[in-house]
Amino acid sequence: MIFSPIIIGTMRWGSWGANHSKKILQQLIESALSENLTTFDHADIYGDYTTEKLFGVSFSEMQIRREKVQFISKCGIEMPCKNRNFTAKSYNYSREHIINSVEQSLANLRTDYLDLLLLHRPSPLMNPHEIADTFDFLREQKKVRHFGVSNFSPSQFELLNSCFPLITNQVEISLNHTEAFWNGTLDQMMMKNLQPMAWSVMGNYFSEDTEQNRRIKTVMQEMCRKYGAEENQLMLAFLLRHPANILPVIGTSRAEIIKTLKGATDITIENSDWFRLLEASAGKPVP
Ligand SMILES: NC(=O)c1ccc[n+]([C@@H]2O[C@H](COP(=O)([O-])OP(=O)(O)OC[C@H]3O[C@@H](n4cnc5c(N)ncnc54)[C@H](OP(=O)(O)O)[C@@H]3O)[C@@H](O)[C@H]2O)c1
């Protein structure tokens, strides 16, 4: 197994969220490692291109052996912001852009290699042959060990995978967003014996008071009592119950929630309870 069963997302740790200090980041890293959660998910753009560096500085002072952890990063989005003067938000998968982005991530994370590089979002202009050549180069240089994509449709995955072996597709999946169950994304991963990764695993459950969330909450409260679990643990257990062996990327910026969420790996939601949650999400029973 390359990655820990729950992946630690860093998107909200810096200026796109909690704006944590180096000290708090170190506590979060420590908390994850104490639960044997060793994989950290990054992207070049997080915190307007600043969060990887914040993490790298924090991690490098902790005397943790690099081979004890896994770093994922993503590239391909050009985001106009105060740290970059791109003229428009664009996707760029040219050889030059991918290599430059990896070099930046390595420098920011203060490491010699990424365990996994993901193409952040599919682009109509991506050339799979150019990308495959670039991936070959990065692998030969020992700068990236494995390659994958994020937010790709099954056919987009197939297109690039026909030129270069990919190991995952990181997509949005939660009780609020169940499209991946039906659109072939998870089927494809299972057929290829690959593990999908899920982002925004809490959906908007804790951030928005929607009709859907009110329906889910009614069922959740009953199930929390039945399973002796917290709502966030059941949100995660719902994904972990899927046979695709989903690797959830959790986004919390609180150490105690990392510990709570690890507990979800011990919960198996019964079949009919899983469908009650799905029904609450959809607002109607399955046909
Ligand atoms: N590939 C992609 O395109 C993509 C897109 C988005 C994200 N990602 C990756 O996925 C990771 C997770 O995404 P996400 O941040 O949207 O994940 P998430 O786990 O769905 O969201 C966590 C958010 O919910 C809040 N929350 C409130 N109450 C909570 C509770 N009781 N338990 C848990 N969370 C609670 C958290 O706040 P607190 O911090 O206060 O707990 C945090 O703001 C990101 O860090 C990033 O690495 C990838």
Side-chain angles (χ1 to χ4, degrees):
M1 176 73 76
I2 307 170
F3 306 110
S4 55
I6 292 176
I7 295 173
I8 306 296
T10 60
M11 183 180 76
R12 300 177 194 270
W13 289 11
S15 69
W16 280 7
N19 226 339
H20 281 321
S21 64
K22 193 172 70 178
K23 189 165 166 239
I24 304 278
L25 243 76
Q26 289 171 340
Q27 287 168 4
L28 283 165
I29 295 168
E30 194 55 57
S31 162
L33 296 184
S34 70
E35 296 295 333
N36 275 328
L37 302 178
T38 54
T39 308
F40 295 87
D41 183 78
H42 300 273
D44 54 352
I45 58 171
Y46 291 168
D48 291 342
Y49 300 89
T50 63
T51 304
E52 283 188 329
K53 188 170 185 178
L54 175 68
F55 181 97
V57 170
S58 311
F59 181 83
S60 63
E61 288 180 4
M62 293 177 73
Q63 314 297 332
I64 298 163
R65 297 221 320 267
R66 174 63 181 88
E67 62 273 22
K68 294 283 181 202
V69 294
Q70 301 81 42
F71 292 164
I72 301 170
S73 193
K74 315 184 194 78
C75 70
I77 301 178
E78 291 181 336
M79 178 174 282
C81 63
K82 62 181 184 304
N83 299 312
R84 293 287 188 286
N85 53 4
F86 297 121
T87 48
K89 190 171 187 192
S90 328
Y91 301 146
N92 187 342
Y93 293 111
S94 64
R95 178 183 175 91
E96 189 190 7
H97 182 83
I98 294 174
I99 292 175
N100 283 343
S101 183
V102 167
E103 295 288 2
Q104 281 284 314
S105 292
L106 294 177
N108 286 332
L109 293 167
R110 301 195 178 194
T111 184
D112 298 333
Y113 67 92
L114 296 175
D115 296 274
L116 173 65
L117 176 70
L118 301 177
L119 303 187
H120 209 148
R121 288 195 173 267
S123 164
L125 298 185
M126 64 192 172
N127 177 337
H129 302 290
E130 183 179 1
I131 293 170
D133 282 348
T134 310
F135 283 0
D136 263 330
F137 172 77
L138 288 167
R139 190 166 56 183
E140 274 165 25
Q141 296 274 305
K142 301 198 183 326
K143 292 189 170 166
V144 180
R145 295 196 167 168
H146 301 279
F147 297 84
V149 293
S150 182
N151 305 302
F152 273 43
S153 69
S155 64
Q156 289 162 338
F157 184 97
E158 209 56 66
L159 173 65
L160 185 52
N161 196 50
S162 68
C163 301
F164 191 94
L166 303 171
I167 67 158
T168 193
N169 191 3
Q170 185 182 109
V171 295
E172 182 174 15
I173 322 176
S174 67
L175 189 47
N176 292 122
H177 290 95
T178 59
E179 291 82 356
F181 296 160
W182 314 106
N183 68 11
T185 298
L186 297 182
D187 307 341
Q188 181 187 45
M189 293 293 105
M190 290 171 79
M191 284 189 280
K192 294 182 183 303
N193 208 14
L194 297 175
Q195 276 188 281
M197 294 181 182
W199 59 266
S200 270
V201 287
M202 298 296 144
N204 61 12
Y205 186 69
F206 292 107
S207 56
E208 287 177 38
D209 181 22
T210 62
E211 220 173 275
Q212 182 191 42
N213 284 333
R214 284 196 289 274
R215 285 195 306 268
I216 295 173
K217 201 169 205 40
T218 306
V219 180
M220 269 293 182
Q221 282 171 344
E222 184 190 320
M223 292 201 186
C224 284
R225 286 192 293 276
K226 173 170 175 179
Y227 289 91
E230 306 278 332
E231 289 172 301
N232 56 7
Q233 292 177 317
L234 289 180
M235 291 293 284
L236 212 53
F238 177 78
L239 299 190
L240 296 173
R241 180 69 172 74
H242 194 283
N245 286 320
I246 296 169
L247 291 167
V249 187
I250 60 171
T252 185
S253 53
R254 289 176 285 168
E256 69 274 18
I257 302 284
I258 292 178
K259 286 184 182 293
T260 305
L261 289 176
K262 174 70 187 307
T265 57
D266 297 324
I267 300 169
T268 305
I269 298 182
E270 287 172 17
N271 193 72
S272 57
D273 288 340
W274 195 90
F275 277 91
R276 284 189 64 210
L277 286 167
L278 186 69
E279 177 180 319
S281 167
K284 56 182 184 197
V286 286

